Amino acid sequence: MSLTDGSTRIEKQIADRALEYVLHPPTGSDPVVDFAAPGDLLAVFDEAVSIDMADVVQPAPDSALMEAVELVLKHSMHTSHPRFLNQNFAGPDPVSVVGDWLGAALNTTGATFEAAPVFTLIENALLKKLGRVAGYRVDDEPSAIPPGLFCPGGSTATLYALQLARHRHQPDVVRVGAGPDRLVLFVSDAGHYAAVKSAALLGLGMDAVMKVASDPSGAMNTEALSAAVEHAQARGLTPFAVIATAGTTVTSAFDDINEVADICEAHGLWLHVDGCYGGSALFSPSQRHRLAGVERSDSFVWNLHKMMGMTQQCSALLVRDPHQLAPCFATGADYLFQPDKAHGEYDSGDRTFQCARRVDSLKLWLAWNHHGDAGFADRIDHAVAMADHARDVIRRSGGEFVQVVDGSFSNVVFAWVPEDLRPLASLDALDDSARDRMHLLPPAIKRHMQAEGTAMLGFQPIGGCNTFRLICMSSTVQTDDIDAVYRLISTYGGNVTSL
Amino acid sequence: MSLTDGSTRIEKQIADRALEYVLHPPTGSDPVVDFAAPGDLLAVFDEAVSIDMADVVQPAPDSALMEAVELVLKHSMHTSHPRFLNQNFAGPDPVSVVGDWLGAALNTTGATFEAAPVFTLIENALLKKLGRVAGYRVDDEPSAIPPGLFCPGGSTATLYALQLARHRHQPDVVRVGAGPDRLVLFVSDAGHYAAVKSAALLGLGMDAVMKVASDPSGAMNTEALSAAVEHAQARGLTPFAVIATAGTTVTSAFDDINEVADICEAHGLWLHVDGCYGGSALFSPSQRHRLAGVERSDSFVWNLHKMMGMTQQCSALLVRDPHQLAPCFATGADYLFQPDKAHGEYDSGDRTFQCARRVDSLKLWLAWNHHGDAGFADRIDHAVAMADHARDVIRRSGGEFVQVVDGSFSNVVFAWVPEDLRPLASLDALDDSARDRMHLLPPAIKRHMQAEGTAMLGFQPIGGCNTFRLICMSSTVQTDDIDAVYRLISTYGGNVTSL
């Protein structure tokens, strides 16, 4: 790469710089983020290419554009950094990144075999394999309809799944619209907000989502589910679906899918498993038991862009009966899905809502064939091992850290306890003033961490009191990184409380 | 790149090959596609890495993976080839491709400022600029809510727009669900099927979409719209929205937005402009008149991945009143949109349906700053100039080709006429048997073209008779390419009819 050599095309300069970043991502004491307030960021870019778009945009010289690219890299969040423990994705798999690149280079739409011959077959093969991994009975004939589709994210997949559920309940919803029944669905109060967002968009309304109590770990209380379904029926409402969560956002808890499936079968309800986060546990022989019963679900969403490190977006919606897709989504546009076209029976476009659709499958196919099943299992086992290590650090901290929520998967929810409050049995034991202090600590500590760019981890209120959430996603996280993050929290905590 | 040098990481090998493709895309007499039937494609890959995923996937050697990458490139559709005139996207802008790569390398989600500080500001700036280009009154304060959001495709944007429209009509739809009114919306019969797909998903039902007659060019008959609205009201239905199409899929026709806006104002209807395809005409001083009145719309969807050559996906939904977004989509998840987080007021996640969201803005920002407004205008003018050239070829063909639909924008809908049917005044003039012959010709000619990989263009029935649709999207298409495609059709047509 050369910034001064005018003969190097700008495309190559940008690509080379991006590749350099992928091959040698920030690590160790490199900043996780060079965080700046919005106004400061705008000012920094003004020296290269202004972020704001002028009323008349003039072409920027290549050198200015490359300076802007450097600023983009410098000030963006380094999700590949092993101390980015902030979200339920991190550490993009480099093979996935360049697989994504290859797909973008070939820029096409996944809607038809004609426009995407290779990608259609790859997508079908992946959906069938994912379906088999989930335990669905899959027709492996190459020409058989695959048991699902790729979606632009887990929320969209949830939306489609709930429409499929509604469609089974009321087959003419597609043509004539929602009927008079007051449909309701159930999800635990630790489940993802995609359920309520979907209910709003589907016209059911957020009130149609009945939040079922979860136990302290975040798993659904299935007795409460039974009671909620019966209570709803008694009120004249019409239950139609249950969402079981496999890997909740905050505590990575798993609902007992078999128990939920029993209740769904007893009441004739559609069972959707939200495995956006935790579905990938299926790759690990030692972790897949957490999803026992998923093969009984009617639909199952599984984000490969979370635990597996595929780039945004790689979200598979699996369905037990692939023949339900077309009746729910097809329109048969005659300019696109012409019956007299070669191999039109392979077209996927009429089995989903989207028309043009980014190819999300190629990167997964390349990464999976590169790592093999064993490599995919390793990634999951490593994530859990790192979380186990974090739990060890907490246990051995002499009361400086306390685990706030029990858990044995990839999320660790904990608090840092100021010296004068140790030993702290539980957050509930605190009086109001100590609780208020504890509530303010995580945001204050995080602000320091973010300002210095030393690490990133999340926080959220549990029972009204902010607590940290450390998520081990990246295959590059090592015990050293975990140790370093706890040391940082300890230091920042001490500084914050001594102010 | 080296296939044999074991020291070169597979990520670099794939990236280098992808970059090679971007810098030197197929052109001229290179194949547009090396088309193979599904079974043949599967067999070809079996020699490298099988497309089908085994029950136990073993890691593939790097050399096999690179052979597979070559096969992916060889057998995929070359949408960057200047003779790919098949769809309303083509010729990805190389700067956009590598901008997409840079975003993928930094793999993050656009939902929060924390996780995407630079991209949040870039997205806001682009939405404000796009809003200004569309003529919306935009608050240019950096901290002001931007007038829209990026969506994973035009259909999704249409879905959101119709939900916004419904929400304005019935503000409690989000909480309590759809009310008893039988809501209906209007779109021309040449409009995109996203309208009916959205209506199904929203629970309105496809029947809630009233198809308004279009004139022979594909533009909405606005007198018919007026009559349809009044007729629906008389039947006790509740009109709530009209979709005006700016660039129809088949003929690239533009509805008269001002006339539609007058009708919407008279009846209090939400005006959504579907500019997925034709919105980019706004970039050209000589073409933007086609969207006169778009500034009167309530919402406007504009796919930059169509005419502008951004990679899939780059779809902007613009709204006249940005303050309508959050009430329609927010849930306020407390693990993500913490009020005590730094600069949380910049978070976009609660203004849209998606949670994690691929960054679709960076590539547009880089490409726009590289080309400038003038470069963007040139791309549009070139597309129309190439279509004009195609119309010239037809006019000068001595009756071998006839333009089936009048049009002056980027699509050319035409027929190839066998010698014994010339001169052909119109398709309507044909008797049934000649019409049947004409109907079979485009698929037959296309099969030859596809099999030889010489060019790609679409066909669809017009009035029940298949006709060709040539779409000029790519900035690399030259008059030579257009001429070559017509010569090919002539040759294939002659061969087909002589069989």
Side-chain angles (χ1 to χ4, degrees):
Chain A
M1 184 196 73
S2 160
L3 299 186
T4 49
D5 177 4
S7 67
T8 304
R9 282 171 58 179
I10 184 72
E11 297 90 334
K12 180 161 165 51
Q13 292 185 44
I14 296 173
D16 285 347
R17 188 62 187 88
L19 180 60
E20 164 75 17
Y21 182 84
V22 172
L23 295 178
H24 306 288
T27 189
S29 59
D30 296 336
V32 179
V33 62
D34 190 334
F35 197 74
D40 295 334
L41 266 184
L42 292 171
V44 166
F45 273 81
D46 283 345
E47 303 294 311
V49 177
S50 291
I51 285 180
D52 284 328
M53 305 292 289
D55 278 334
V56 177
V57 177
Q58 300 292 349
D62 287 0
S63 57
L65 220 49
M66 285 312 297
E67 283 173 45
V69 165
E70 290 300 330
L71 290 174
V72 167
L73 285 162
K74 180 170 155 64
H75 290 289
S76 286
M77 185 62 65
H78 300 300
T79 66
S80 53
H81 196 297
R83 297 184 190 169
F84 177 81
L85 306 161
N86 196 68
Q87 254 148 321
N88 52 17
F89 71 93
D93 179 342
V95 177
S96 160
V97 174
V98 297
D100 196 335
W101 292 10
L102 185 61
L106 285 161
N107 189 47
T108 192
T109 163
T112 63
F113 180 82
E114 173 179 296
V118 178
F119 302 137
T120 298
L121 297 181
I122 284 180
E123 184 170 286
N124 288 1
L126 284 171
L127 290 164
K128 288 174 184 181
K129 168 80 174 175
L130 290 170
R132 294 200 308 269
V133 172
Y136 283 163
R137 295 175 74 168
V138 171
D139 183 346
D140 263 325
E141 273 299 300
S143 64
I145 300 172
L149 46 95
F150 280 87
C151 300
S155 295
T156 304
T158 301
L159 177 73
Y160 295 175
L162 292 177
Q163 176 73 343
L164 286 164
R166 172 162 70 170
H167 183 245
R168 184 175 74 176
H169 182 81
Q170 189 203 341
D172 57 357
V173 64
V174 167
R175 195 176 53 79
V176 305
D181 290 351
R182 290 175 60 200
L183 298 181
V184 290
L185 68 134
F186 303 82
V187 64
S188 95
D189 57 12
H192 193 267
Y193 68 74
V196 288
K197 282 203 170 183
S198 296
L201 206 45
L202 292 166
L204 302 170
M206 292 183 177
D207 287 353
V209 182
M210 309 272 138
K211 298 282 182 70
V212 179
S214 54
D215 67 26
S217 77
M220 184 191 275
N221 177 332
T222 51
E223 283 178 23
L225 171 63
S226 258
V229 171
E230 281 159 24
H231 183 66
Q233 286 169 330
R235 285 171 58 204
L237 304 172
T238 305
F240 78 108
V242 179
I243 301 178
T245 308
T248 58
T249 314
V250 173
T251 67
S252 65
F254 289 73
D255 295 349
D256 187 321
I257 300 175
N258 271 315
E259 286 184 9
V260 176
D262 289 343
I263 295 165
C264 286
E265 278 172 20
H267 294 278
L269 308 179
W270 181 282
L271 172 55
H272 174 65
V273 173
D274 176 354
C276 282
Y277 180 5
S280 296
L282 288 170
F283 287 126
S284 162
S286 62
Q287 296 296 330
R288 62 172 288 133
H289 66 90
R290 297 178 189 272
L291 286 110
V294 68
E295 70 283 358
R296 297 171 65 189
S297 64
D298 296 290
S299 55
F300 171 39
V301 54
W302 183 350
N303 285 354
L304 289 306
H305 60 247
K306 289 193 158 70
M307 295 197 82
M308 300 318 295
M310 299 299 112
T311 54
Q312 296 280 356
Q313 55 210 22
C314 192
S315 187
L317 173 64
L318 300 171
V319 293
R320 192 164 53 176
D321 178 3
H323 297 279
Q324 293 172 324
L325 292 168
C328 189
F329 291 113
T331 54
D334 61 7
Y335 73 92
L336 193 57
F337 307 114
Q338 307 94 324
D340 36 11
K341 192 176 60 172
H343 312 297
E345 69 279 14
Y346 278 82
D347 292 354
S348 66
D350 251 358
R351 289 196 299 275
T352 186
F353 171 76
Q354 287 183 288
C355 183
R357 194 157 58 83
R358 185 179 172 92
V359 169
D360 296 327
S361 56
L362 174 65
K363 58 194 174 191
L364 174 62
W365 185 81
L366 286 170
W368 202 336
N369 278 299
H370 175 67
H371 298 294
D373 284 352
F376 269 26
D378 284 349
R379 190 173 169 114
I380 300 301
D381 293 342
H382 181 75
V384 178
M386 289 303 102
D388 284 341
H389 179 75
R391 287 183 277 262
D392 268 353
V393 171
I394 292 170
R395 257 191 301 276
R396 290 183 280 110
S397 72
E400 180 173 7
F401 299 103
V402 291
Q403 203 175 319
V404 173
V405 178
D406 277 345
S408 58
F409 197 56
S410 48
N411 286 21
V412 185
V413 178
F414 67 95
W416 177 79
V417 186
E419 217 161 339
D420 60 301
L421 294 180
R422 299 177 204 162
L424 177 66
S426 91
L427 291 176
D428 296 334
L430 293 169
D431 64 29
D432 283 357
S433 122
R435 200 185 172 74
D436 286 350
R437 269 178 71 201
M438 289 289 290
H439 179 63
L440 296 173
L441 281 171
I445 291 171
K446 178 161 183 170
R447 267 194 296 275
H448 284 258
M449 189 179 271
Q450 203 172 15
E452 296 188 8
T454 47
M456 284 292 289
L457 76 171
F459 68 85
Q460 70 284 306
I462 297 276
C465 183
N466 278 325
T467 54
F468 285 112
R469 179 185 60 156
L470 178 143
I471 313 191
C472 301
M473 290 288 100
S474 175
S475 61
T476 61
V477 184
Q478 301 300 331
T479 53
D480 284 359
D481 297 300
I482 305 285
D483 296 344
V485 169
Y486 279 94
R487 276 198 307 275
L488 286 164
I489 297 172
S490 178
T491 306
Y492 293 129
N495 293 345
V496 165
T497 48
S498 70
L499 288 178
Chain B
M1 185 197 71
S2 157
L3 297 188
T4 51
D5 177 4
S7 68
T8 303
R9 284 172 58 179
I10 185 72
E11 296 91 334
K12 180 161 164 54
Q13 291 184 44
I14 296 173
D16 285 348
R17 189 62 187 85
L19 180 59
E20 164 75 20
Y21 181 85
V22 172
L23 295 178
H24 306 289
T27 188
S29 58
D30 297 335
V32 179
V33 63
D34 190 334
F35 197 74
D40 295 335
L41 266 184
L42 291 171
V44 165
F45 273 81
D46 282 344
E47 304 293 311
V49 177
S50 290
I51 284 180
D52 284 328
M53 305 292 288
D55 278 333
V56 178
V57 177
Q58 301 291 349
D62 287 1
S63 57
L65 221 49
M66 286 311 298
E67 282 173 46
V69 165
E70 290 301 329
L71 290 174
V72 167
L73 284 162
K74 180 169 155 64
H75 290 289
S76 287
M77 186 61 66
H78 300 301
T79 65
S80 53
H81 196 298
R83 296 183 192 170
F84 176 81
L85 307 160
N86 196 67
Q87 254 146 322
N88 53 16
F89 71 93
D93 179 340
V95 176
S96 161
V97 175
V98 297
D100 196 334
W101 293 9
L102 185 61
L106 286 162
N107 189 46
T108 194
T109 163
T112 63
F113 180 80
E114 173 179 296
V118 177
F119 304 136
T120 298
L121 298 181
I122 284 179
E123 184 170 286
N124 288 1
L126 284 170
L127 289 164
K128 288 173 184 182
K129 168 81 175 177
L130 290 169
R132 295 198 308 268
V133 172
Y136 283 164
R137 295 175 74 169
V138 172
D139 182 346
D140 263 324
E141 272 301 298
S143 63
I145 299 172
L149 46 94
F150 280 86
C151 301
S155 295
T156 303
T158 301
L159 177 72
Y160 295 175
L162 292 177
Q163 176 73 345
L164 286 165
R166 174 162 69 168
H167 183 244
R168 184 176 73 177
H169 182 79
Q170 188 202 342
D172 57 358
V173 65
V174 167
R175 195 175 56 77
V176 305
D181 289 352
R182 291 176 60 200
L183 299 180
V184 291
L185 67 134
F186 303 81
V187 64
S188 95
D189 57 12
H192 193 267
Y193 68 75
V196 287
K197 283 205 170 184
S198 295
L201 206 47
L202 292 165
L204 302 171
M206 292 183 176
D207 287 354
V209 181
M210 309 270 137
K211 300 284 183 67
V212 180
S214 53
D215 67 27
S217 78
M220 184 190 274
N221 177 332
T222 49
E223 283 179 24
L225 172 64
S226 258
V229 171
E230 281 159 24
H231 183 65
Q233 286 169 329
R235 284 171 57 206
L237 304 172
T238 305
F240 77 108
V242 179
I243 300 177
T245 307
T248 59
T249 314
V250 173
T251 66
S252 64
F254 289 73
D255 295 348
D256 187 320
I257 300 175
N258 271 317
E259 286 183 10
V260 176
D262 288 343
I263 294 166
C264 287
E265 278 172 21
H267 295 276
L269 307 179
W270 181 280
L271 171 56
H272 175 65
V273 173
D274 177 354
C276 281
Y277 179 6
S280 296
L282 287 170
F283 287 125
S284 161
S286 62
Q287 297 296 330
R288 63 171 289 135
H289 66 91
R290 297 179 189 271
L291 285 109
V294 68
E295 71 283 356
R296 297 171 64 187
S297 64
D298 295 290
S299 56
F300 170 39
V301 53
W302 181 353
N303 285 352
L304 288 307
H305 60 247
K306 289 192 158 71
M307 296 197 82
M308 300 319 294
M310 299 301 111
T311 55
Q312 295 282 354
Q313 53 209 25
C314 193
S315 186
L317 173 63
L318 300 171
V319 292
R320 191 166 52 177
D321 178 4
H323 296 279
Q324 293 172 325
L325 292 168
C328 190
F329 291 112
T331 56
D334 61 8
Y335 73 92
L336 193 58
F337 306 115
Q338 306 95 323
D340 35 13
K341 195 177 57 173
H343 312 299
E345 70 277 14
Y346 278 83
D347 292 353
S348 64
D350 251 358
R351 288 196 299 274
T352 185
F353 170 75
Q354 288 184 287
C355 183
R357 193 157 59 83
R358 187 181 171 90
V359 169
D360 296 327
S361 55
L362 175 64
K363 58 195 174 190
L364 174 61
W365 185 81
L366 286 170
W368 202 335
N369 278 299
H370 175 68
H371 298 294
D373 285 352
F376 270 26
D378 284 349
R379 190 173 169 114
I380 299 300
D381 293 343
H382 182 74
V384 178
M386 288 303 103
D388 284 341
H389 179 74
R391 287 182 276 264
D392 267 353
V393 171
I394 292 170
R395 257 190 302 276
R396 289 183 281 113
S397 71
E400 180 174 6
F401 300 101
V402 292
Q403 203 175 320
V404 173
V405 177
D406 277 346
S408 58
F409 197 56
S410 48
N411 287 21
V412 185
V413 178
F414 66 95
W416 176 79
V417 186
E419 216 161 340
D420 60 301
L421 295 180
R422 300 175 204 163
L424 177 66
S426 92
L427 291 176
D428 297 333
L430 293 169
D431 64 30
D432 284 356
S433 122
R435 197 182 174 76
D436 287 349
R437 270 179 71 201
M438 288 290 289
H439 178 63
L440 296 173
L441 281 171
I445 291 171
K446 178 160 183 170
R447 268 193 296 276
H448 281 74
M449 189 178 272
Q450 204 171 12
E452 297 188 8
T454 46
M456 285 292 289
L457 77 170
F459 68 87
Q460 69 284 303
I462 296 275
C465 184
N466 278 325
T467 53
F468 285 112
R469 177 185 62 156
L470 179 142
I471 314 191
C472 301
M473 290 287 101
S474 175
S475 61
T476 61
V477 184
Q478 301 300 332
T479 52
D480 283 358
D481 298 299
I482 304 285
D483 295 344
V485 168
Y486 279 95
R487 277 198 307 274
L488 285 164
I489 297 172
S490 178
T491 305
Y492 294 129
N495 293 346
V496 164
T497 47
S498 69
L499 287 182

